[in-house]
Amino acid sequence: MDFYIDIQVKPDAEMRENVLLNKVYSKLHKALFSLKSTEIGVSFPKYKVLLGNVIRLHGTEPRLSELQNTDWLDGLSGYCQVTPIQAVPDNVAYRNISRIQSNMTEAKLRRLISRGSISTEEIKKYKAKMFSLGLDNPYLELVSASNGHKHRRYLNFSEETALPASGEFDFFGLSKAATIPWF
C-alpha cells in the first residue's frame, strides 16, 4: 500500500455527484473483478457525513499501473480527474473500510413470510425493529449486473490507528482486516 491514485468526480448538469460516484465505483468493481485483484483498496478521503467527490485507490505501483492500463473508466473519464500514481506520504494514519450489513432486511422478511415461519403480529414487530435498527452509514447505490436491481452497499469506517494491517481486499476494494493509509 505504498502508492495511490485519486479519482475526483466532476459532476455537471447531466450527472449529479452521488450518481457519478456510484457509476465510477461500479466500473471500478468490474475492473477489480476482471483483474481478480485482492491487492487494491479503496478509500474516500473527503468523507465526513457523505463520501465526498474523491475515490482513492491504494496498492503497489505495478498493480495500480495494471489497473490504469485497462482504461476501466471508459466513457466516464470525461467526468473524472485522475492523478498519476503517487507515493503515499510519510507519517499517515491507517484505517479499514469495510461493508456493513443489517441482519434485518425486507428480503429476509419476504423469505420468512413465504416460508410461513412468521405470524402477522410478528411481521409488525419485525418491521418496527427493522426500521429502528436501520443503518445510517454512508453508502453507494449500485446496480446489479446480474438482475438489474439497485442495492446499497453501506460502508463502515474504522477508527484511525498508527499501524497498518495486512490482508486481502474484496473486488469492491473493501476489507474487514486490511487497512489503507488515511491522509
Side-chain angles (χ1 to χ4, degrees):
M1 295 285 138
D2 297 335
F3 291 87
Y4 73 98
I5 298 170
D6 279 346
I7 301 156
Q8 180 180 7
V9 297
K10 302 183 140 239
D12 64 11
E14 294 177 14
M15 189 114 46
R16 293 187 328 263
E17 183 176 284
N18 63 322
V19 172
L20 187 54
L21 193 72
N22 293 335
K23 287 182 179 288
V24 169
Y25 192 77
S26 290
K27 289 232 181 222
L28 174 65
H29 163 61
K30 288 176 185 172
L32 293 176
F33 179 78
S34 293
L35 293 172
K36 302 294 185 228
S37 175
T38 58
E39 301 97 27
I40 294 178
V42 174
S43 70
F44 302 87
K46 302 281 183 168
Y47 163 70
K48 298 290 181 220
V49 174
L50 300 175
L51 292 174
N53 66 342
V54 176
I55 297 175
R56 181 169 287 158
L57 308 179
H58 304 269
T60 62
E61 191 171 21
R63 203 64 168 144
L64 291 173
S65 292
E66 181 181 18
L67 174 66
Q68 289 302 81
N69 289 336
T70 65
D71 192 30
W72 63 275
L73 276 170
D74 196 32
L76 293 177
S77 60
Y79 291 99
C80 300
Q81 180 178 338
V82 181
T83 65
I85 298 172
Q86 302 173 63
V88 170
D90 295 330
N91 302 318
V92 296
Y94 297 89
R95 73 184 335 169
N96 70 22
I97 301 174
S98 60
R99 180 181 189 185
I100 186 169
Q101 293 177 278
S102 174
N103 60 357
M104 300 187 83
T105 65
E106 287 283 344
K108 184 176 180 182
L109 178 59
R110 281 193 305 273
R111 287 191 302 274
L112 291 170
I113 293 169
S114 70
R115 284 195 305 245
S117 58
I118 189 168
S119 70
T120 306
E121 187 59 36
E122 290 172 321
I123 291 171
K124 291 177 186 173
K125 288 178 183 176
Y126 187 98
K127 284 184 175 181
K129 190 172 181 182
M130 181 175 70
F131 290 120
S132 70
L133 296 175
L135 296 173
D136 62 354
N137 294 49
Y139 63 87
L140 293 149
E141 193 165 70
L142 308 174
V143 178
S144 171
S146 61
N147 63 20
H149 293 122
K150 288 185 178 179
H151 68 279
R152 291 182 176 175
R153 185 163 291 263
Y154 289 91
L155 303 178
N156 183 53
F157 290 74
S158 73
E159 294 296 319
E160 293 181 24
T161 179
L163 298 173
S166 61
E168 291 189 343
F169 295 90
D170 63 16
F171 296 139
F172 288 92
L174 306 173
S175 177
K176 290 190 184 302
T179 56
I180 46 89
W182 188 258
F183 56 98

